[in-house]
Amino acid sequence: MEVLYRDERAASAASSVAGRLAADGVPARLAAGDPTVWGREGSGAPELTGRDAEAGTGGVPPFRASRELLPELGELAERARAAGLTNVVLAATGGAALAAEAICDSADVPLTVLDTSDPGQVRRALAEPLESTVVVVAGSAVETDCCLRIYEELFARAGIEAAQRIVAVADPDSPLERRALERGYHLLPSSGRALSAAALAPSALAGADVARLLDDAEEVLPLLSRDSGNPGLALGAVLGGAALGGRDKLLLEDQLSAIAGLPDWIEALVAESTGKRGRGILPIVGADPHRAHDELVVAIESDIGDVRVDGPLGAQFLVWEYAAAVAALLLEVDPADRPDVAEPADNAAALLALPELPAGAPALVDGPVEVYGSVTAKDLPGVFIELLHAIPADGHLAVTAYLDRLAAFDAPVPDGADFEQMTDAWMMADPATLRALLALRTDRPVTFGWGPRSWHATGQYHKGGPQNGVFLQITGAVTEDVAVPGRPYTLGRLQLAQALGDLEALETRGRPAVRLHLTDRAAGVAHLLAAAQEV
């Protein structure tokens, strides 16, 4: 594992803080999981519990507990293969879901991740053969609970014993643990982050070599207690040192890497670790550098950026977790604290209790797009111009789509189209293309996320980080909804409530936000992209 500085300013910023951290004994204390680094014990600071403590102390997570699970995971995978269970579904949110995606994408094994409340995306997963399906459920998010309930009912209707098809990864005495014990589901303990059972269990079932991941992490572990030759310290020092010097926009580059999907996981890790108390590092995925004064480009296994990070996936996970803790320490925030994450979910729960969701009246309607918010523009291109002009000199635009992130692949393609033509057709049906179009029209960063997936990724930064963001939210009409067994709402109603709850959390903090509602999803996306090209 190696971290190389390719930019003199970055190297200088890192050097000045790394020496101070080493003099204070921070590397060894982080590696040992010392909670006093964060002032939690003996300082009067409240102890972290539940969601806030899920990553351990904010240093090296307790991934070694996962090694003890390897025989059990191996047996699970063998039984699944013997039973022909080749369709692996993970119902989970946050870092565990993103880590599992990176593991399986890098290993080129299939995994369906349901970290969504979108009816179309869930129906897409449900269309896979139930007789070959095994479901891993992790965490307590409402969308996770909904997916569990839906699969439980489907297994029951099909005469399939759910206890043979559902694996639960749960905290002690959590609702999920109690449900798993009552119903006889295979139960695994929850601990750590990327290398926890929540990520490793679905990956093992899908066919990834999870033992190799742990071996790679184990190899780099001794380096993390060192004052020199410590890749975690080197990476964390450059992230935090650069941010203290004003370079707090972290562009993540992985185009040349054989590791797939790692930037999405890093985005969640860095945003939730550092984005609080009006501070933070904004990670940006999939963007081209503008070489702005506040950008730091970190590349995975390539020389494109200011910093190069090389190493296998298991080691990358561990080093980035350590580095995020170092960066948070330099910014004087606690990486395991999540003070603002729960608010959108609480808002959504309150909205769901109302007879009707208070969507409000649109400020304007442009074709299949309704515009909600304080805008003076008369059409959609004008709305985009207003949003771009509203970005502060040190700020960014964040686009969040509460839609089906796989729907673009349903776009029609010409007969006999080659791969490039198919890709073009998919891009022009993909809401994520809006990020690239708007980024061409500003020198400030534009980020894109899928809701509610983004709650557990950049949500903490967007609510608790610097007051310099402008927000664009996209929602869509639901034509085929999905009922949630045992709940008085459908997935479509839940999805809209989550979007409105997220919007409310932004607005109460005085963060400018506009919602675009697509009355026809496919036509609405096409209209959005066409309007963006007129700006």
Side-chain angles (χ1 to χ4, degrees):
M1 189 77 198
E2 191 172 22
V3 176
L4 301 173
Y5 303 149
R6 303 185 63 257
D7 174 81
E8 288 186 8
R9 281 197 303 149
S12 176
S15 176
S16 64
V17 297
R20 174 162 55 88
L21 293 172
D24 291 340
V26 169
R29 293 170 65 196
L30 278 180
D34 181 358
T36 63
V37 173
W38 316 109
R40 294 189 202 133
E41 291 185 358
S43 67
E47 291 300 301
L48 300 175
T49 58
R51 189 201 316 266
D52 294 338
E54 69 179 357
T57 62
V60 177
F63 76 92
R64 280 178 167 166
S66 297
R67 185 171 291 283
E68 298 174 4
L69 292 175
L70 284 179
E72 188 174 357
L73 294 179
E75 290 176 8
L76 269 176
E78 286 181 13
R79 288 203 302 268
R81 283 192 292 270
L85 305 182
T86 55
N87 178 41
V88 183
V89 177
L90 171 62
T93 59
L98 295 166
E101 276 194 336
I103 293 167
C104 291
D105 286 349
S106 298
D108 195 24
V109 295
L111 174 69
T112 297
V113 174
L114 290 180
D115 54 358
T116 182
S117 51
D118 184 80
Q121 194 169 330
V122 173
R123 284 201 328 274
R124 192 183 304 276
L126 300 180
E128 295 298 318
L130 200 62
E131 61 272 14
S132 62
T133 297
V134 57
V135 182
V136 179
V137 183
S140 58
V142 63
E143 54 269 35
T144 301
D145 176 72
C146 289
C147 290
L148 172 59
R149 291 171 176 271
I150 290 167
Y151 271 104
E152 284 176 334
E153 182 171 272
L154 287 177
F155 284 136
R157 285 181 180 177
I160 296 172
E161 189 176 351
Q164 302 300 316
R165 298 300 188 87
I166 295 177
V167 177
V169 182
D171 292 320
D173 200 34
S174 63
L176 179 57
E177 184 193 60
R178 292 192 292 272
R179 191 181 190 93
L181 291 172
E182 289 170 3
R183 304 194 175 200
Y185 300 155
H186 194 110
L187 182 62
L188 295 170
S190 177
S191 66
R193 213 183 213 135
L195 297 174
S196 69
L200 297 182
S203 301
L205 287 166
D209 185 352
V210 297
R212 175 63 182 272
L213 288 168
L214 296 177
D215 289 343
D216 290 336
E218 197 82 48
E219 283 186 18
V220 79
L221 181 61
L223 304 179
L224 300 183
S225 60
R226 296 181 180 178
D227 293 339
S228 62
N230 179 338
L233 178 62
L235 181 56
V238 76
L239 297 179
L244 290 173
R247 299 175 74 180
D248 59 354
K249 309 301 187 296
L250 172 63
L251 274 68
L252 297 163
E253 167 62 51
D254 74 334
Q255 292 183 34
L256 302 180
S257 174
I259 298 173
L262 185 60
D264 287 335
W265 175 83
I266 295 171
E267 177 187 42
L269 171 74
V270 172
E272 69 181 8
S273 295
T274 67
K276 59 209 79 173
R277 297 176 60 188
R279 307 166 194 170
I281 299 170
L282 175 67
I284 304 160
V285 177
D288 293 326
H290 286 293
R291 293 302 172 188
H293 67 281
D294 54 354
E295 287 182 359
L296 178 73
V297 183
V298 176
I300 309 299
E301 299 185 334
S302 84
D303 290 327
I304 293 175
D306 304 311
V307 180
R308 174 173 177 149
V309 184
D310 291 347
L313 183 57
Q316 292 269 5
F317 282 141
L318 195 60
V319 166
W320 277 98
E321 286 169 346
Y322 185 102
V326 170
L329 182 62
L330 291 169
L331 294 176
E332 298 183 347
V333 295
D334 189 327
D337 189 17
R338 312 284 188 269
D340 305 291
V341 165
E343 185 175 339
D346 294 340
N347 292 345
L351 291 172
L352 284 171
L354 301 175
E356 296 290 336
L357 295 179
L364 70 96
V365 177
D366 188 332
V369 180
E370 298 174 343
V371 181
Y372 295 82
S374 298
V375 297
T376 60
K378 303 303 181 183
D379 57 19
L380 199 51
V383 172
F384 289 146
I385 291 171
E386 282 190 23
L387 288 169
L388 293 172
H389 286 172
I391 305 173
D394 63 344
H396 69 285
L397 172 64
V399 182
T400 304
Y402 283 78
L403 300 169
D404 177 357
R405 65 186 177 105
L406 300 177
F409 295 113
D410 296 333
V413 297
D415 291 338
D418 59 23
F419 182 73
E420 184 176 351
Q421 292 171 317
M422 288 190 291
T423 300
D424 288 343
W426 294 332
M427 284 183 62
M428 295 315 298
D430 190 350
T433 302
L434 183 63
R435 187 211 65 76
L437 292 174
L438 294 178
L440 290 172
R441 290 151 176 84
T442 177
D443 60 0
R444 301 310 305 150
V446 180
T447 67
F448 183 89
W450 299 98
R453 177 188 181 105
S454 59
W455 286 11
H456 315 279
T458 53
Q460 174 56 50
Y461 179 94
H462 287 159
K463 313 304 186 301
Q467 188 84 353
N468 61 10
V470 175
F471 298 88
L472 174 61
Q473 185 187 89
I474 307 170
T475 57
V478 173
T479 55
E480 294 183 64
D481 214 337
V482 177
V484 181
R487 291 288 184 254
Y489 49 77
T490 62
L491 285 182
R493 180 176 167 85
L494 170 62
Q495 184 182 42
L496 182 57
Q498 289 177 315
L500 296 176
D502 194 17
L503 204 62
E504 181 182 347
L506 292 169
E507 290 172 341
T508 57
R509 288 163 172 77
R511 308 200 171 195
V514 169
R515 179 169 72 94
L516 306 180
H517 184 71
L518 313 182
T519 54
D520 178 301
R521 291 196 179 197
V525 169
H527 198 65
L528 289 180
L529 301 185
Q533 293 178 75
E534 294 181 24
V535 174

